[in-house]
C-alpha cells in the first residue's frame, strides 16, 4: 500500500474505483435480494417418515388467511418451528417470486392452473407422497380431478376443492334457482351481479348457452348474451370481499361467488345466502400445497404439507374458510355444516381445466368488449 | 492515589480521542482535496447514485417491459409486432383508452378546481395553515383500499349518504356503482396531490400583486385571471400532471366504485397480467399508455412554461 509521508493510506484513482464498484455490486445484490438459493435438501430424499432434522423456520404463502393464522400456532407449537405466512390476493404475486429464482418461499397454497404452469417451468419439488402418511386421507375424487401429477410424479398435495357456484338469497328465492338463466331474468334487474373475471364470467355464459366452457364453439354467442345481461346487473365485483359484501348487504340476490365466501357470508356474517350448481353445471378447481424449488426449509414444508392433511386440521380449514377440504371430514362436521358442504351426486360439476391459449385469449377479448360496450 | 490514576487514565483517553478526531479530520481533508482536483470524478460521485437508482429501478424495468412487449405469448417467446398491432387496431381497446382519457380529464378538472380553491383559502384566509395542510394530507396515512371501502359504505344504498339524506327528508341518490361514484373516489384520493403544489405556488406569490391589480381597477375575476393564475401556473401544471397521470393508470377505484360501465385502461392491463397471463400484450398496452402520458407531460410542460421550475410564473 502506498502511503502518504505521514503514514496515512492514500486514495488513488484505481483504489477508489475498485472500492466504489465493490460497494455498488454489494448494494445492488442487497437490493435485488440476492443470496442463497435455498436448501440442498430435496423432499424426494425423504425415504422414511417423519423426515429428520426439520428446519426451525417455515415461510408459507397461503391465502386462507384465517386458517393460516391458526396453523401458524398449531403447527409451530407441535413441531417447534417458527412459522410465518404471507397472504396474497392473486397467485401471480408468488409466481413472480418463483420466476425470479425463489430463495424465500417454502410452501404455497396454489390453484391448479398455476400449479400446472409451475410444473411446466420446473419450479416445484416432486413430493414423496408414498412415504407421507396422510396422503391416503386425500379423497380419490380430488386426486383424480387435479392435474398435479405428471409422468408418474406428484408435485402437490390437494388442500381444498373450490366450487364456483350460483349463490343466491334464500329468503328472496323460494327454492334454489335451477338455471344460470336467473342471471338473465328481467325480473331481478338491478339485483344481480357477475364476477369481474373473464374466464369465470365467460364460462358461465358458455354453460348458459349450452356450450362446453372449456372448449366453446360459439364465442360470438357468449359475447352477445353477456352484453344482453349487462343492463340487469348492479355491478361486476372484482374483489372477493366486495363480492361477499354484495350478498351480506343484500344489494344483490343472485350471482357467482365462491363456496367459501358463501359460507362466510352465511355463517360468519349471518346473511341469508346459499349456493347451488345449476342444471347447466358449475365449475370447480382445487388449491394445492406445493414446495417451490429454492425453498430454504423444504423438510419443514414437507412436514407441514402432511400435517395439513390430518383430518382435524383439514376440518379446521373448513370451519374457518368454508371450502371443501381435500380430506373426508364428514365425521367432524355439525349437521348444519354437513348439509352446507354436501354436493348432491346429480350436480354437474366441471373441473376447471387449464384453458388453451386461444380460448383464454378469446375470453379475455370478449370480456373487455362486454365491459366497454 | 486512585483519583490521580483515574485522572491520568482520563487524560490518556481524551488524548486518544483527540488523535482519532484529528486523524479522521485529516483524512476527510485529503479526500476533499482529492475530489477538488478531479471535478469530473466529483460530479460522478454526487450525481452517480441518483442516476444509478434511476437506471436500476426505472430505466431497466422500462426496458424489460419494452422487450417483453415485442414477444409472443409468453416471456422469451418469438419476436413480433402483433401485440401493438392488436391493440392499436382494435376499436374496443381504443374506445377504452378514449373513455379513460375522458374520465382522467374530468377528474383532473374537478380536483384542480376544488384543490385550488382549498389551497387559496388556506393561504389567504386562514392562520392555521399547518393544521389545515395536515388535514389535507391525513388520508394518505390510510391504505388506498380501505379508503375505497369507506366510500363504498358511504355511497351504497342505505349507506351513510343515503341514510342522511333520508333523515332530512331528501330522496336517496344511490350513487355507488356509477360514474359519479368514480369521480368522487378519484377526487378524494388525489386531492392532496394537487393541493400541495397549489399551496406551494400560492405561498410564493407576492400578495402585493393582487392589491396592485385591485388598485388599478380590476375586479376579483379579472385579478384572478390576469394575476393569480398566471403567477401560480407552474404549481397548477404540476398539480394537474400529478393528478392526471395516476388517474390514467388507475384500476382499483373504477373497479370498486364503478359498476358495469366504467372500464378504464388500467383494468385491461391488470387483467392481462393477472388473469389472461398475456404479459407481452399487457406490456405493449403499458408502453403505448406510457407514450401517451409522456406526450401529455411534454404538452403540460410547454403549457406551464417549465414544469419543474419551482419559482412562480410571470404575471
Amino acid at each position: 500500500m502506498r502511503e502518504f509521508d505521514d503514514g496515512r493510506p492514500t486514495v488513488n484513482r484505481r483504489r477508489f474505483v475498485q472500492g466504489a464498484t465493490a460497494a455498488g455490486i454489494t448494494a445492488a445484490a442487497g437490493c435485488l435480494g440476492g443470496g442463497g438459493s435455498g436448501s440442498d435438501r430435496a423432499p424426494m430424499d425423504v425415504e422414511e417418515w417423519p423426515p429428520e432434522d426439520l428446519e426451525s423456520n417455515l415461510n408459507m404463502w397461503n391465502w386462507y388467511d384465517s386458517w393460516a393464522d391458526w396453523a401458524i400456532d398449531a403447527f409451530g407449537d407441535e413441531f417447534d418451528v417458527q412459522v410465518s405466512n404471507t397472504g396474497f390476493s392473486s397467485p401471480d404475486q408468488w409466481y413472480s417470486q418463483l420466476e425470479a429464482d425463489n430463495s424465500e418461499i417454502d410452501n404455497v397454497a396454489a390453484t391448479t392452473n398455476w400449479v400446472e404452469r409451475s410444473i411446466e417451468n420446473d419450479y416445484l419439488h416432486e413430493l414423496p407422497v408414498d412415504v407421507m402418511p396422510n396422503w391416503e386421507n386425500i379423497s380419490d375424487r380430488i386426486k383424480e380431478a387435479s392435474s398435479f401429477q405428471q409422468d408418474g410424479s406428484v408435485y402437490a398435495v390437494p388442500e381444498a376443492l373450490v366450487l364456483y357456484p350460483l349463490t343466491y338469497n334464500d329468503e328472496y328465492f323460494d327454492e334454489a334457482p335451477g338455471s344460470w338463466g336467473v342471471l338473465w331474468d328481467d325480473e331481478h334487474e338491478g339485483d344481480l351481479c357477475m364476477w369481474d373475471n373473464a374466464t369465470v364470467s365467460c364460462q358461465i355464459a358458455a354453460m348458459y348457452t349450452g356450450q362446453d366452457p372449456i372448449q366453446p364453439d360459439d364465442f360470438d354467442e357468449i359475447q352477445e348474451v353477456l352484453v344482453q345481461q349487462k343492463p340487469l346487473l348492479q355491478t361486476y365485483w372484482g374483489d372477493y370481499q366486495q363480492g361477499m359484501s354484495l350478498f351480506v348487504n343484500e344489494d344483490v340476490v343472485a350471482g357467482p361467488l365462491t363456496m367459501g365466501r358463501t359460507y362466510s357470508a352465511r355463517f360468519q356474517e349471518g346473511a341469508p345466502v346459499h349456493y347451488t350448481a345449476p342444471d347447466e353445471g358449475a365449475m370447480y378447481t382445487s388449491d394445492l400445497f406445493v414446495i417451490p424449488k429454492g425453498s430454504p426449509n423444504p423438510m419443514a414444508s414437507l412436514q407441514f404439507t402432511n400435517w395439513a392433511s390430518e383430518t382435524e386440521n383439514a376440518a379446521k380449514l373448513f370451519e374457518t374458510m368454508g371450502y371443501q377440504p381435500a380430506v373426508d371430514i364428514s365425521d367432524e362436521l355439525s349437521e348444519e355444516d354437513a348439509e352446507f358442504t354436501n354436493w348432491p351426486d346429480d350436480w354437474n360439476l366441471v373441473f376447471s381445466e387449464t384453458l388453451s391459449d386461444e380460448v383464454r385469449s378469446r375470453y379475455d377479448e370478449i370480456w373487455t368488449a362486454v365491459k366497454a360496450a | 492515589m486512585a483519583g490521580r490514576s483515574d485522572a491520568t487514565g482520563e487524560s490518556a483517553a481524551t488524548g486518544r480521542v483527540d488523535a482519532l478526531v484529528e486523524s479522521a479530520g485529516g483524512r476527510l481533508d485529503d479526500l476533499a482535496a482529492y475530489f477538488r482536483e478531479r471535478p469530473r470524478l466529483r460530479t460522478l460521485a454526487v450525481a452517480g447514485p441518483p442516476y444509478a437508482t434511476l437506471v436500476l429501478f426505472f430505466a431497466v424495468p422500462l426496458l424489460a417491459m419494452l422487450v417483453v412487449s415485442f414477444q409472443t405469448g409468453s416471456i422469451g417467446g418469438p419476436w413480433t409486432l402483433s401485440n401493438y398491432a392488436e391493440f392499436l387496431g382494435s376499436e374496443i381497446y381504443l374506445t377504452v383508452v378514449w373513455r379513460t382519457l375522458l374520465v382522467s380529464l374530468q377528474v383532473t378538472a374537478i380536483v384542480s378546481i376544488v384543490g385550488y380553491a382549498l389551497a387559496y383559502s388556506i393561504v389567504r384566509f386562514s392562520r392555521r395553515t399547518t393544521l389545515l395542510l395536515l388535514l389535507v394530507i391525513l388520508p394518505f396515512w390510510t391504505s388506498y383500499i380501505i379508503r375505497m371501502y369507506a366510500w363504498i359504505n358511504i355511497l351504497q344504498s342505505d349507506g351513510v349518504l343515503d341514510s342522511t339524506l333520508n333523515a332530512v327528508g331528501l330522496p336517496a341518490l344511490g350513487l355507488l356503482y356509477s360514474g359519479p361514484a368514480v369521480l368522487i373516489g378519484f377526487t378524494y384520493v388525489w386531492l392532496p396531490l394537487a393541493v400541495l403544489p397549489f399551496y406551494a405556488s400560492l405561498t410564493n406569490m407576492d400578495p402585493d400583486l393582487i392589491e396592485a391589480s385591485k388598485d388599478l381597477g380590476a375586479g376579483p375575476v379579472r385579478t384572478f385571471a390576469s394575476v393569480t393564475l398566471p403567477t401560480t401556473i407552474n404549481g397548477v401544471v404540476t398539480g394537474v400532471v400529478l393528478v392526471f397521470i395516476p388517474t390514467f393508470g388507475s384500476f382499483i377505484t373504477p373497479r370498486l366504485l364503478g359498476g358495469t360501465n366504467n372500464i378504464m385502461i388500467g383494468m385491461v392491463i391488470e387483467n392481462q397480467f393477472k388473469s389472461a397471463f398475456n404479459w407481452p400484450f399487457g406490456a405493449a398496452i403499458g408502453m403505448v399508455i406510457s407514450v401517451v402520458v409522456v406526450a401529455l407531460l411534454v404538452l403540460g410542460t410547454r403549457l406551464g412554461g417549465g414544469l419543474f421550475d419551482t419559482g412562480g410564473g410571470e404575471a
Side-chain angles (χ1 to χ4, degrees), chain A residues 8 11 13 16 90 99 114 196 230 234-235 238-239 241-242 246 249 251 360 364-365 369 371-372, chain B residues 30 34-35 41 86 92-93 99 149 156-157 177 255-256 259-261 263 271-272 274 276-277 279:
Chain A
R8 295 194 304 270
V11 184
R13 184 193 299 263
F16 179 83
S90 172
E99 285 188 310
W114 289 89
D196 189 1
K230 195 172 172 182
Q234 179 159 141
T235 191
D239 175 89
Q241 179 64 33
Q242 183 192 10
L246 286 169
N249 297 333
D251 290 328
R360 197 170 59 219
D364 183 61
E365 287 171 11
K371 290 205 295 177
Chain B
D30 289 340
Y34 179 83
F35 278 110
L41 186 60
E86 184 180 347
I92 293 168
Y93 294 119
R99 284 186 180 191
Y149 272 106
Q156 70 189 4
S157 56
Y177 307 127
R255 169 178 273 191
L256 290 179
T260 56
N261 288 311
I263 186 171
N271 186 56
Q272 294 305 318
K274 294 179 74 170
F277 311 146
W279 289 22

Side-chain angles (χ1 to χ4, degrees), chain A residues 89-90 92-93 196 235-239 242 371, chain B residues 96 100 103-104 144-145 148 182 185-186 189-190 244-259 262-275 289:
Chain A
S89 57
S90 172
D92 63 298
Q93 292 165 12
D196 189 1
T235 191
Y236 300 120
W237 62 265
D239 175 89
Q242 183 192 10
K371 290 205 295 177
Chain B
V96 176
T100 305
V103 171
S104 301
Y144 191 114
I145 296 280
M148 288 301 102
V182 175
F186 275 133
V189 167
W190 304 137
F244 183 85
I245 291 175
T247 306
F248 207 90
S250 285
F251 57 91
I252 294 175
T253 299
R255 169 178 273 191
L256 290 179
L257 304 180
N262 290 281
I263 186 171
M264 291 178 68
I265 197 65
M267 298 159 74
V268 177
I269 295 174
E270 183 211 13
N271 186 56
Q272 294 305 318
F273 281 93
K274 294 179 74 170
S275 301
I289 297 307

Side-chain angles (χ1 to χ4, degrees), chain A residues 282-356:
Chain A
M283 308 299 296
Y284 74 103
T285 184
S286 62
D287 282 342
L288 311 106
F289 293 110
V290 296
I291 304 178
K293 287 187 174 174
S295 155
N297 307 293
M299 293 304 118
S301 181
L302 188 65
Q303 180 64 274
F304 175 78
T305 301
N306 181 71
W307 174 87
S309 302
E310 286 178 15
T311 306
E312 58 268 35
N313 300 334
K316 191 72 179 178
L317 176 79
F318 176 76
E319 288 171 24
T320 51
M321 303 303 303
Y323 289 99
Q324 186 90 280
V327 174
D328 180 6
I329 57 165
S330 51
D331 293 341
E332 308 273 332
L333 295 176
S334 66
E335 189 177 334
E336 192 177 44
D337 280 350
E339 186 272 330
F340 184 86
T341 194
N342 180 41
W343 295 354
D345 291 336
D346 62 349
W347 275 8
N348 174 23
L349 302 183
V350 183
F351 184 68
S352 186
E353 289 176 35
T354 300
L355 299 174
S356 67

Side-chain angles (χ1 to χ4, degrees), chain A residues 253-274:
Chain A
V253 297
L257 190 68
T258 61
M259 173 193 174
R261 286 290 179 169
T262 307
Y263 177 88
S264 297
R266 182 181 176 94
F267 294 109
Q268 293 166 8
E269 304 291 339
V273 292
H274 213 317

Side-chain angles (χ1 to χ4, degrees), chain A residues 39-243:
Chain A
S39 170
D40 292 334
R41 301 168 73 187
M44 282 304 285
D45 294 341
V46 174
E47 294 176 350
E48 292 183 354
W49 201 265
E52 293 180 351
D53 301 327
L54 294 191
E55 300 87 355
S56 57
N57 292 290
L58 173 66
N59 310 312
M60 62 179 185
W61 281 54
N62 195 303
W63 59 357
Y64 295 135
D65 310 37
S66 302
W67 181 78
D69 287 344
W70 171 82
I72 284 172
D73 292 333
F75 178 78
D77 292 345
E78 187 173 341
F79 292 95
D80 193 23
V81 172
Q82 187 75 31
V83 186
S84 65
N85 182 52
T86 302
F88 58 93
S89 57
S90 172
D92 63 298
Q93 292 165 12
W94 58 259
Y95 189 80
S96 59
Q97 301 248 21
L98 268 51
E99 285 188 310
D101 197 10
N102 171 53
S103 63
E104 295 175 7
I105 305 174
D106 295 310
N107 194 285
V108 185
T111 304
T112 301
N113 51 4
W114 289 89
V115 171
E116 290 178 10
R117 300 180 82 203
S118 300
I119 293 171
E120 285 170 14
N121 289 296
D122 197 26
Y123 292 157
L124 302 180
H125 276 300
E126 196 179 336
L127 301 181
V129 291
D130 292 340
V131 300
M132 296 170 71
N134 294 331
W135 173 247
E136 66 182 25
N137 292 350
I138 309 294
S139 63
D140 290 339
R141 179 184 189 177
I142 299 179
K143 283 180 183 173
E144 291 160 8
S146 303
S147 46
F148 57 93
Q149 306 176 74
Q150 293 188 5
D151 302 326
S153 299
V154 179
Y155 293 90
V157 171
E159 181 182 23
L161 280 183
V162 179
L163 182 66
Y164 299 145
L166 171 64
T167 296
Y168 61 95
N169 185 313
D170 63 0
E171 289 178 353
Y172 182 88
F173 291 98
D174 295 332
E175 58 182 22
S179 166
W180 286 109
V182 71
L183 300 181
W184 276 263
D185 189 338
D186 293 346
E187 187 184 341
H188 315 303
E189 181 178 352
D191 295 327
L192 305 167
C193 67
M194 280 290 270
W195 193 336
D196 189 1
N197 178 305
T199 301
V200 172
S201 293
C202 286
Q203 287 184 324
I204 288 172
M207 290 185 285
Y208 170 59
T209 55
Q211 300 183 58
D212 178 356
I214 306 297
Q215 189 61 54
D217 48 27
D218 191 343
F219 290 103
D220 291 340
E221 188 180 18
I222 290 172
Q223 180 170 332
E224 188 180 329
V225 295
L226 286 171
V227 171
Q228 286 172 0
Q229 182 198 46
K230 195 172 172 182
L232 305 179
L233 302 176
Q234 179 159 141
T235 191
Y236 300 120
W237 62 265
D239 175 89
Y240 290 100
Q241 179 64 33
Q242 183 192 10

